[in-house]
């Protein structure tokens, strides 16, 4: 089966990618271009491009979600540390006669207040 030869224009970055793939596979650039066209048409016909895109997007969203949860844990620890530092500094400034348990309770209460304020501002 023979088809009419057409000119395909590639921008410089597309050409570099095509040349790299051709070199890695030991093909001529012309043969690689043929493969690219064939695979691209098959992907369009069978919808593989959308399935791959959806799978990739789901993977990336999962990764972002995991990293966001990690960041939230770090921020919670940072907020609690700041609240504890404030409570100890306040106690010291007021004469330092407060027990560690009372200061820890003040730090936890301050942490909870700040978390509540943050949650309210999200709404």
């Amino acid at each position: 089966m023979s088809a009419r030869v057409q000119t395909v224009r590639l921008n410089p970055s597309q050409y570099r990618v095509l040349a790299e793939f051709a070199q890695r596979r030991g093909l001529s650039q012309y043969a690689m271009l043929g493969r690219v066209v064939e695979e691209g048409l098959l992907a369009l016909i069978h919808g593989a491009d959308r399935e791959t895109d959806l799978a990739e997007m789901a993977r990336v969203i999962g990764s972002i979600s995991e990293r966001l949860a990690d960041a939230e844990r770090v921020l919670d620890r940072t907020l609690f540390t700041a609240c504890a530092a404030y409570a100890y500094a306040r106690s010291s400034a007021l004469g330092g006669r407060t027990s560690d348990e009372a200061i820890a309770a003040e730090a936890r209460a301050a942490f909870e207040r700040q978390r509540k304020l943050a949650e309210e501002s999200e709404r």
Side-chain angles (χ1 to χ4, degrees):
M1 176 165 130
S2 169
R4 190 176 140 192
V5 175
Q6 295 288 318
T7 300
V8 176
R9 296 186 191 275
L10 302 174
N11 66 42
S13 64
Q14 290 171 328
Y15 177 78
R16 283 190 298 275
V17 170
L18 179 78
E20 248 179 62
F21 276 115
Q23 184 179 19
R24 276 193 249 153
R25 289 174 174 74
L27 298 171
S28 70
Q29 292 174 6
Y30 183 78
M32 190 69 227
L33 181 60
R35 278 193 172 177
V36 167
V37 169
E38 185 177 328
E39 293 294 323
L41 287 173
L42 286 173
L44 288 172
I45 290 167
H46 298 296
D49 60 335
R50 281 180 285 192
E51 290 172 16
T52 301
D53 289 345
L54 288 177
E56 179 66 13
M57 284 188 334
R59 186 188 66 73
V60 169
I61 289 171
S63 173
I64 290 169
S65 178
E66 184 178 315
R67 290 171 53 197
L68 189 58
D70 290 343
E72 187 174 2
R73 283 191 294 274
V74 169
L75 285 172
D76 275 349
R77 292 184 69 175
T78 303
L79 176 60
F80 182 79
T81 302
C83 290
Y86 171 78
Y88 275 97
R90 184 173 181 274
S91 173
S92 179
L94 294 175
R97 290 185 174 77
T98 310
S99 70
D100 282 346
E101 292 79 21
I103 295 171
E106 288 176 20
R108 279 190 295 278
F111 172 76
E112 293 303 327
R113 282 193 305 273
Q114 293 302 315
R115 288 286 297 164
K116 185 178 178 185
L117 287 170
E119 288 172 4
E120 288 174 0
S121 69
E122 289 175 0
R123 295 179 197 156

